[in-house]
Amino acid sequence: MIVISGIGWISKKKYGCVKKAVCRGYTDIKSLHSKLQNESIFLYPVKNFGRFDMTSKMACCAGALALHDAGVKYSEKRKQDIGIIGTNTDGCLRSNLNYFKDYVQTGRKLARGNLFIYTLPSSSLAEAAIHFGFQCPLLYIMFPQKQVSSLLQYVEGIISRKEASTVLAMKVDEKKAVCFVLSGEDDSSSK
Amino acid sequence: MKHSRTNMHAPEAVVVACDLITPYGLGIDACWNGLLSGKTAINPLDRFDTDVFQTKKAATIAELKTGQSDSLVMQMLKPLLEKASAIIPKDALLILATTTGEIDILEKQVLNAKDNADESAPGYLLEKVQCLSGIKAPGIIVSAACTSSSSAIAQAGAMIRSKEHDCVLIVACDIVSEFVFAGFSSLMALDKDTARPFDKNRSGLSLGEAAGFVLVMSKERAIQEERSIIGEIAGWGLTNDANHMTGPSRDGSGLALAMRKAMRSADISEDAVGCIAAHGTGTMYNDAMEMKAFKSVFASGALPTYSIKGGIGHTMGAAGLVETIVALRSLREKLVPPTVNLLVADDEAEGWVSTEPDSFDNPVTISINAGFGGVNSALVLKKGNRQ
């Protein structure tokens, strides 16, 4: 049996955790980041957070909220066998546009490596995996419909097949995110 | 692992059909013969102006033309899938693997100062591929940087072994676009001439483009349908370095872990592996990291190892699928293709890679990929019964 041990979410002006019944407001992503640091929801500073694209910022924040809700600890010094699977509706379309428009505006002479890094649908998940130290499968999966239920069903398969004992599953884009911590029942009972 | 081959009730995942288009041309024979010839398909690029970039070369498919109604990706996929649609079961699960998909649509919109690039989003491509393949259900997209298609094949194998599906079609594609070319150039990742995987004087990768498909079935269904079995996806391992966005973990531990997981999943030991299909991009750090991982896993000595990226460049999200098809051909022929463009092997790679084709005995290949974000994949491939 698979259990959901924590859920974190971010909407346009609010963020929260389900189990811990947290629901608070924020003004912009910078303020959200500060709040999560001040509330010790981020257990240590996110390296290079300011340079991330918006989806990566949201992925890190939503991941921290879900892990906080589930009581899963992570550390800079220890890597863990946890997977990260993400979805959304349009890959990284906004980041693709930001990068290519910037390149065209410079006269098609100079592309910015820092913007190019985020032109993969998996980049935001990778930033989260690096921060949290997660070493199991990292996949962006796009489902044509019912994204959240399809994502949860997919992750259930990954856990059942023992590809990872715990998975951070998130639907994330530039504006909103919801993130779940899923585990096999045996693995979650000790947390 | 619960669903390893030691579980006798777990179905085997076998490849019953595959095809591809690469810069060597349409079809597996073109790619295989191109690699054996030792000639590179990396050439001067005329698709867009390359004057300001690190290199003027890439491996492109000559038949693809910009300015057509179909995107470059669709120009690759149409001849492949139209030909194959008769042999693709309509109840197969479709998995599309790509990193940038129809990115030329976005390029066109931005360059023409239009602000609607939505049609470059991956969901549109998934619908088109579903139509071309004739599969009933829409399927899913798997994207994990340069491990996209090998990760998709791993997922297909896992779904078949766990009996969630008994037939999966994996389609992979990526193109050489100004979008990615400028990006890799800005990261100083490109060789100014042509990629030289595992060479002492390697200095970067070359970009390439390709598309292909692999049809994977449970062995039981393949036998029922009297399909010839090209090979088996016998094991897989997916890991993440959790270290850096653009650089691999220097010690190769993430990749070594993926390889060990794949062998455990296939229920084989290191001794059973006959050949390594390396990622081998030609960048200094990637190839060094791979050799560390190989030596850590295969501590008893060198195994025949090759990279095809000196021949067709780095085909990004399609790389793993192309390499799987080449590895299956290599298993059939019992022949290790040469590492094209290799001149003098790096000290660490000496005795592993070769400029000449070589034979090998154990009919098992481990095919590996690594990519941005620290993702790693390993597939254990076995020879099939096709004559």
Side-chain angles (χ1 to χ4, degrees), chain B residues 71-78 101-102 104 125 173-175:
Chain B
S71 68
L72 296 176
V73 161
M74 288 304 286
Q75 290 176 47
M76 290 194 289
L77 289 176
K78 271 188 172 173
E102 294 180 293
D104 46 335
L125 180 58
C173 52
D174 263 319
I175 56 161

Side-chain angles (χ1 to χ4, degrees), chain B residues 119-132:
Chain B
E119 285 187 23
S120 72
Y124 287 87
L125 180 58
L126 182 61
E127 273 182 38
K128 292 177 197 172
V129 174
Q130 186 199 349
C131 283
L132 276 179

